């Protein structure tokens, strides 16, 4: 059993292979956090609740209740009653006051994990996960608050979520309902986060945690390019292989907060949930609310272990697609090749040349519908533009398939252009505040997905096209943030529900899509990588990582993304040079080697690129076929990093059984007179002999991991190399 209850001490113990999480109940029934860290074999540590630090305990001295509440390590702190740290739950009652206080009532422990209605969430069989639900109540409000903890033993992950049920007689209003809290002693923590911008997503950032609150958040209606729903607190000495790491990631694609604070007592509170700004949820008697899920992992051997725990967990317990471990077809996308300027002829010319070079699928990007010849019209009018696609759409698909290729297509179903038939007919379908002209972004508005008729319309547009021809792949894009939050249909007191209702609407649409088209390969996208989050992984096994396809820029973007997400989920393409975003020219080979650390595909006009580049494509495709299985399923190790100002950016993927490993090295900036650089490998069998493919060189596993391997003569800027080590016994 990975979840135990000690009746006598009123403590819960949640064990994974390497970690233990402990919860203790106070005399009054406050649910307190005892311990999270290295695995413990017995029940210890209840003293960490510090109940004996009188006179603060309310049971002993009511006079000091506020001091107690501001100090006690809470599993789920409630607002308005004297805990001045960040609260996780704010409830306004019918008389307008905010205040709630929850006490333990009962608990259940079961095998498996229930689904979270309407939300993406981790899943697992009865042998893989166990779930503890601690049921608490606020008797005055009649509010039941259930704290769920699902323990994924093998992956060292615990997921948390909360459900609220109004069992009372009054109408309640949730004004904040986070998903997880972790109260700990400070260990000189540093906070690791991922941040950036369009074309520069998920750069790794690490800063000392200071007194006060430090946060990553989004109020943009999506998980965003700028700040990411992930934070980790790490001890100062933390490297890839050493140090303690407490990490949280949010299974949600809308507004979020991920925050850590150091309190006056040098304690730390770490929280995660839907952002409280512009959020409310009305709970009439009998109604309930379910928060999204937060994923937690702890590592006492550095960041590398954290990444591998997340990767295994997302691959096994979040991604549902049949493509999870299936080889994805090598695609060519026409966006950077043609932008909006294409027709059947051009697409077929690209497809023909692509096929000759081993590419397996053509993806037709933005611009095939309505009157869309630029980005300022037609979103919402999902009828094929037959002036561009002469002979019609099914004919194009047929022609492409006749070449022996699969066909994929781009949609942006959540949007509406002011210049569209749809907007002229249904202006109220756009999210907007009555009487105020809504702001445009990329000349578009956002559809009000809280409305069923809007979702049905948008879904049917996509489904109708998919039913009209054999389509293997959909790129589901979303190219602006939300603003001007108003729905023509919600009551005034429910307008604050719109952000969350929007995300629920999106999930409902994607659920319908993967249910009706179970064999579809879905790739989510949002102006590049603004919605690269675990919520999206529940629907699509891969997500477009960034509109920046420059190989060097991608090193940082993919390193940050790979810190949390498996390489099999990272959409990565080889594009033409000079790169369209940064104008940099890199060797074609390096572009290929970097894209191999993702889903791999092309995004260029193959009929126009230099002959010498085109000639490399069949070889690259061959490498993809050779390594894709390893990259999809193997263990990822970050060896050295350009982000850390190391000249060599280097990572390794090792087969779980140690049978082989692929090392990729990219020399970003050449350093004169550096003849060789030593790198140390991981995940190999110590005493086995590994041959470096294509050479006579052979090394013992322990040699490669301790003495290291010498990368020689990789001096030129942007040059890269792959090293494949194969176990001989
Ligand atoms: C977004 C995507 C791109 C492309 C364009 C089309 O920016 O990230 O890959 O599909 O939209 O408009």
């Amino acid at each position: 059993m990975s979840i135990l209850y000690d009746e006598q001490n009123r403590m819960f113990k949640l064990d994974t292979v390497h970690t233990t999480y402990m919860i203790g109940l106070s005399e009054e029934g406050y649910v307190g956090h005892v311990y999270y860290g290295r695995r413990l074999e017995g029940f210890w540590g209840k003293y960490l609740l510090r109940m004996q630090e009188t006179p603060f305990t309310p049971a002993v001295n009511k006079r000091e209740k506020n001091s107690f509440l501001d100090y006690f390590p809470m599993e789920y702190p409630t607002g308005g009653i004297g805990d001045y740290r960040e609260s996780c739950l704010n409830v306004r009652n019918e008389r307008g006051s905010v205040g709630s206080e929850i006490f333990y009532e009962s608990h259940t422990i079961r095998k498996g994990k229930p689904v979270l209605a309407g939300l993406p969430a981790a899943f697992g069989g009865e042998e893989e996960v166990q779930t503890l639900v601690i049921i608490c109540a606020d008797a005055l409000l009649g509010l039941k608050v259930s704290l769920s903890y699902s323990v994924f033993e093998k992956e060292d992950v615990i997921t948390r979520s909360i459900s609220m049920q109004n069992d009372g007689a009054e109408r309640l209003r949730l004004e904040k309902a986070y998903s997880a809290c972790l109260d700990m002693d400070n260990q000189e923590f540093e906070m690791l986060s991922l941040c950036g911008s369009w074309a520069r997503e998920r750069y790794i950032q690490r800063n000392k945690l200071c007194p006060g609150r430090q946060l990553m958040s989004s109020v943009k209606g999506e998980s965003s390019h700028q700040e990411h729903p992930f934070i980790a607190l790490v001890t100062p000495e933390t490297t890839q292989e050493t140090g303690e790491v407490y990490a949280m990631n949010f299974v949600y694609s809308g507004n979020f907060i991920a925050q850590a604070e150091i309190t006056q007592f040098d304690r730390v509170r770490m929280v995660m949930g839907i952002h409280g700004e512009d959020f409310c949820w009305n709970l009439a008697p009998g109604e309930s609310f379910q928060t999204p899920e937060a994923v937690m992992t702890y590592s006492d051997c550095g960041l590398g272990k954290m990444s591998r725990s997340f990767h295994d967990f997302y691959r096994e317990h979040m991604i549902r697609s049949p493509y999870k471990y299936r080889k994805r077809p090598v695609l060519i996308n026409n966006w950077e090749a043609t932008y909006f300027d294409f027709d059947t002829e051009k697409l077929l010319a690209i497809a023909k040349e692509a096929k000759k070079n081993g590419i397996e699928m053509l993806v037709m990007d933005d611009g095939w519908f309505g009157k869309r010849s630029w980005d300022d019209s037609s979103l919402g009018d999902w009828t094929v533009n037959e002036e561009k696609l002469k002979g019609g759409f099914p004919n194009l698909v047929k022609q492409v398939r006749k070449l022996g290729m699969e066909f994929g297509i781009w949609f942006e179903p959540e949007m509406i252009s002011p210049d569209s038939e749809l907007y002229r007919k249904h202006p109220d379908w756009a999210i907007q505040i009555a009487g105020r002209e809504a702001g445009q972004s990329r000349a578009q508005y956002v559809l009000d997905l809280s409305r069923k008729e809007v979702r049905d319309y948008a879904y049917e547009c996509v489904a109708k096209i998919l039913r009209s021809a054999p389509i293997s792949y959909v790129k589901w894009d979303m190219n602006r943030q939300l603003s001007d939050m108003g729905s023509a249909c919600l009551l005034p007191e429910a307008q604050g529900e719109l952000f969350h209702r929007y995300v629920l609407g999106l999930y409902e649409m994607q659920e319908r899509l993967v249910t009706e088209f179970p064999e579809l390969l879905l790739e989510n996208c949002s102006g590049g990588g603004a919605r690269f989050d675990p919520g999206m992984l529940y629907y699509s096994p891969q997500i477009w990582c960034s509109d920046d396809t420059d190989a060097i820029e991608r090193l940082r973007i993919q390193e940050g993304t790979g810190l949390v997400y498996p390489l099999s989920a990272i959409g990565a393409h080889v594009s033409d040079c000079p790169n369209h975003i940064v104008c940099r020219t890199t060797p074609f080979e390096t572009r290929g080697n970097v894209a191999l650390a993702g889903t791999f595909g092309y995004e260029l006009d193959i009929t126009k690129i230099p002959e010498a580049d085109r000639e490399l494509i069949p070889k690259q495709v061959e490498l993809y076929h050779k390594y894709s299985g390893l990259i999809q399923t193997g263990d990822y190790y970050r060896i050295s990093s350009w982000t850390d100002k190391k000249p060599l950016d280097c990572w390794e993927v090792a087969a779980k059984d140690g049978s082989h490993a692929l090392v990729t090295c990219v020399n970003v900036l050449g350093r004169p007179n550096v003849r060789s650089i030593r790198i140390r490998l991981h995940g190999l069998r110590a005493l086995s002999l590994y041959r470096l493919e294509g050479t006579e060189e052979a090394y013992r596993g322990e040699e490669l991991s301790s003495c290291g391997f010498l990368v020689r003569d990789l001096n030129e800027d942007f040059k890269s190399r792959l090293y494949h080590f194969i176990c001989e016994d």
Side-chain angles (χ1 to χ4, degrees), residues 335 340 365-366 372 410 442 475 477 479 525 527-528 544 547:
W335 178 241
F340 294 100
D365 211 279
D366 192 357
R372 191 148 165 110
W410 177 98
R442 209 190 192 211
K475 177 173 170 189
D477 206 345
N479 278 322
C525 170
W544 184 230
D547 277 346

Side-chain angles (χ1 to χ4, degrees), residues 204 240 555-556 559-560 636 638-651 666 668:
I204 297 172
Q240 282 294 317
L555 294 176
R556 288 181 91 164
E559 181 185 0
Y636 166 82
R638 170 54 58 171
I639 295 177
S640 87
S641 161
W642 167 236
T643 308
D644 285 343
K645 310 214 166 34
K646 303 266 168 38
L648 202 62
D649 200 73
C650 178
W651 63 93
V666 182
V668 180

Side-chain angles (χ1 to χ4, degrees), residues 152-166:
F152 292 84
E153 206 173 342
K154 188 165 156 224
E155 289 81 12
D156 287 321
V157 160
I158 297 174
T159 64
R160 294 185 57 178
S161 73
I162 313 292
S163 71
M164 331 273 170
Q165 159 93 23
N166 184 349

Side-chain angles (χ1 to χ4, degrees), residues 368-389:
W368 55 266
F369 53 93
K371 298 199 188 68
R372 191 148 165 110
S373 48
W374 195 241
D375 65 4
D376 54 1
S377 88
S378 303
L379 293 169
D381 299 343
W382 298 104
T383 45
V384 174
N385 179 337
E386 299 218 2
E387 274 170 39
K388 283 186 180 179
L389 303 188

